[in-house]
Amino acid sequence: MPDQLRRALELDPALQTIDPELDSDLILATISGLSQGMLPGHYSADTAIRLIDRVLDRLLGTAVPPHPAEATSRDHGRGPSSRA
């Protein structure tokens, strides 16, 4: 994965804040943590995808405005065990 981030740096010099080694570890740790949260039902697959997309958008500076339904949602896709 660090090589992919290095290629992104070559394509877009504005991404100079990326540290390919550290940020690839951050992405992998995020994915690992989300997958662990999905096993007991704390996160849905849709939420995991949205969170991974958000991490990548924030890291790479490619954020797009959230879908209106997502912007107002208080239920972040968590399972019924986390609802009040």
Side-chain angles (χ1 to χ4, degrees), residues 11-38:
L11 295 173
D12 188 353
L15 298 175
Q16 293 302 314
T17 59
I18 291 177
D19 178 328
E21 309 301 327
L22 188 59
D23 289 332
S24 64
D25 285 345
L26 173 63
I27 293 165
L28 293 174
T30 300
I31 293 169
S32 176
L34 287 170
S35 63
Q36 290 298 313
M38 288 175 62

